[in-house]
Amino acid sequence: MKKEPRITLPIKKPAKVDKQGPQWRFIIIYFLVTLFLLWAWQELFRQATLRTIPYSQFKHYLALHEVTEAVVKETEIDGKIVPKAQAVENGSSAEGSPTASPGPGVSPSPEVKKEETAPFFFRTERVEDPDLVKQLQAGGVEYGAERPGFLSQLLGSWILPIAFMFILWNLLARRMGGAGQSIFGIGRSGAKLVADSDTKVTFDDVAGCDEAKFELKEVVDFLKSPTQYEDLGARIPKGVLLVGPPGTGKTLLARAVAGEAKVPFFSISGSDFVEMFVGVGAARVRDLFQQAKVHAPCIIFIDELDAIGRQRGVHVGSVNDEREQTLNALLVQMDGFEPNTGVIILAATNRPEVLDRALLRPGRFDRQVVVDAPDLDGREAVLKVHSKDKRLSVDVDLRRIAAATAGLSGADLANILNEAALLAARRHGNAISQRDLEDAIEKVVAGPERKSRRLNEEEKRRVAYHEVGHALMAAYNPDSDPVHKISIVPRGRAALGYTMQLPAEDQFLLTRSELVHRIEGLLGGRAAEEVVFGEVSTGAQNDLERATALARQMVALYGMSDRVGLANCAQRQPSFLDGQQFQIQRDCSEETARTIDEEVKNLLAVAYAKAKETLTTHRDQLEKVASELLKVESIDGPTFYRLVGKETPMVKEPAPLHTAAATET
């Protein structure tokens, strides 16, 4: 109960300071602008009423005793001229009488050509004339001197030069301090503060990661009612690290935590701390935590933590690494002598293997929450969330679409819905149909259609037999995934055709026979080309690459070879950035590596022989399906199984799309 005033009151302080600051700034700017406009108006009005004449013409008027008033200034002479009713032209007056003789030493001015009758105020530039005062006295002129006005002197000598220097310095400081920052604020953190009322994302807006939401509910409960945990002696985690592949919703999940707890939310990227100036990143870390303590309880979210949290190394020589200094400051702020009461750090990364061990120890990031790709139910929930603002047709079955997108992340599912909406708009439809969603899945997985890539009849025939070879191997292997579609329409960058196989359900374990049947299915396209044409082509390059990788994993990683045994002869380096792709490093002797190569070659040879035997036995079905495929270019699963005389495999759920089984030619 004692902590409530300290928790709630500081939140209103920054808003009051930010509200008053712009008002005073506006008053000062308004006063300066008004002063400048007043001075400009006076100067322009005075200049508009004066006629500028040459100095020689002024001396001529002075010699004719037409100058009645004169004010001698530092650089100019202002006054009044009252012309007489006469014109000076060719040395005679208008009546033919001679003109008044000018004063001594003054010649008549040839510039006065016409008659002047009305008085006017004049202005002329002052020149060095020692006899000017004597001539003014001789002409009976009422003259005097004048100093610059206070307002003109103040603006011209002080305000305008100072304002110009201030603007110039401010522009230079912004250039030196980086984008949008002055040189005086370079050590400030660029964290974006989202107030509790502006964070409108809740757990209902995040779908497909129920386990992660369950882990984070404790953080939400602690921020709402901390006394419940403190009375039991429980210590809430200071930091929670969200780990997962890109596009799984880590940032959205962090915003949902702030929205559920209704607390301020500081959002910043790890790259915003690093600058080329040494010490700037550490200063920004300290400034960020100082702001967070003022707004406590609050959440600090650091996206892409691996930008500053990489493993520290040992440098030889006097090397001062800016990134390591920033990491050291972060480690001290998270678990130093001063506790950060009410400040919880959420961080996200897709490369947890490169983070420093000191950053992951208890007391800093106590908990790691894995945000993985959603399962079947999670994908359906994600599709429902992203389809709220889209018009769906009555025939749309999101459950079937969810089952057809196994392994895809939330961002991929959102992209599929967006592509379906674009396809529906392209055909001028009123709603998104099931066909649009299925076409969007093919476009995202296999790539867009390449209508410009035209194949000749021989190439199209070879591609058709190649794809039908994959499909027949799937139909006659009991452990293979059912065929969903066969197409010889070129897609993407290199696919001249594809065979799409859909597993019955999400699989997490595979037996040796299932892996062997997958290798046979991958080699079915090359086997069909050899059976029909008697020679092979380059179209099986992707199939051979994947089949070889799968056979090498069986021998070196899974212990599925009698000669190699159970020894793990390779190390793979998983990375969330690569997804299912990873690099395998050999961890065995040269003799064992030679044995592994022989076993891999033997596995591929046996599987290829089995594929050729199966396709030779069912040559009639190979010809029948290939001829039909050449006519229509695309065959769906039920049509394929009808052509080969088999029933369409029944699955518990609508068959999901297995991206690894889509075969490219």
Side-chain angles (χ1 to χ4, degrees), residues 116-268:
E116 292 284 355
T117 58
F120 63 91
F121 294 93
F122 73 92
R123 173 194 174 193
T124 184
E125 298 292 333
R126 181 182 176 183
V127 297
E128 293 296 332
D129 191 351
D131 299 330
L132 178 61
V133 177
K134 295 179 181 180
Q135 295 174 6
L136 291 175
Q137 289 179 349
V141 180
E142 184 179 343
Y143 66 93
E146 181 180 330
R147 299 182 62 183
F150 173 76
L151 187 60
S152 300
Q153 191 173 8
L154 178 65
L155 288 174
S157 302
W158 293 97
I159 295 181
L160 291 181
I162 293 176
F164 175 76
M165 294 299 296
F166 177 77
I167 294 174
L168 180 62
W169 174 256
N170 194 17
L171 292 176
L172 293 176
R174 287 179 180 272
R175 290 287 184 90
M176 294 175 62
Q181 291 184 353
S182 66
I183 193 171
F184 302 105
I186 192 172
R188 297 179 182 176
S189 67
K192 181 180 179 182
L193 173 61
V194 182
D196 51 353
S197 58
D198 297 334
T199 308
K200 301 179 181 180
V201 181
T202 61
F203 281 152
D204 296 334
D205 301 318
V206 184
C209 49
D210 296 334
E211 295 85 357
K213 289 192 292 186
F214 179 78
E215 293 289 336
L216 293 173
K217 281 184 179 179
E218 294 181 1
V219 178
V220 175
D221 294 338
F222 172 76
L223 292 172
K224 285 184 176 180
S225 55
T227 56
Q228 177 181 355
Y229 293 86
E230 293 175 355
D231 293 342
L232 296 175
R235 181 177 58 86
I236 200 68
K238 293 182 180 180
V240 179
L241 182 62
L242 304 178
V243 179
T248 52
K250 298 184 292 295
T251 304
L252 185 64
L253 193 59
R255 292 180 63 90
V257 173
E260 289 285 343
K262 299 187 182 303
V263 295
F265 180 80
F266 287 90
S267 177
I268 190 172

Side-chain angles (χ1 to χ4, degrees), residues 52-64 66-67 77 81 102 105-112 122-127 129 132 135:
T52 303
I53 62 176
Y55 188 77
S56 60
Q57 191 173 348
F58 160 71
K59 294 299 293 285
H60 179 76
Y61 282 121
L62 181 61
L64 296 177
E66 294 180 351
V67 180
I77 301 175
I81 295 177
V106 180
S107 61
S109 174
E111 299 172 357
V112 181
F122 73 92
R123 173 194 174 193
T124 184
E125 298 292 333
R126 181 182 176 183
V127 297
D129 191 351
L132 178 61
Q135 295 174 6

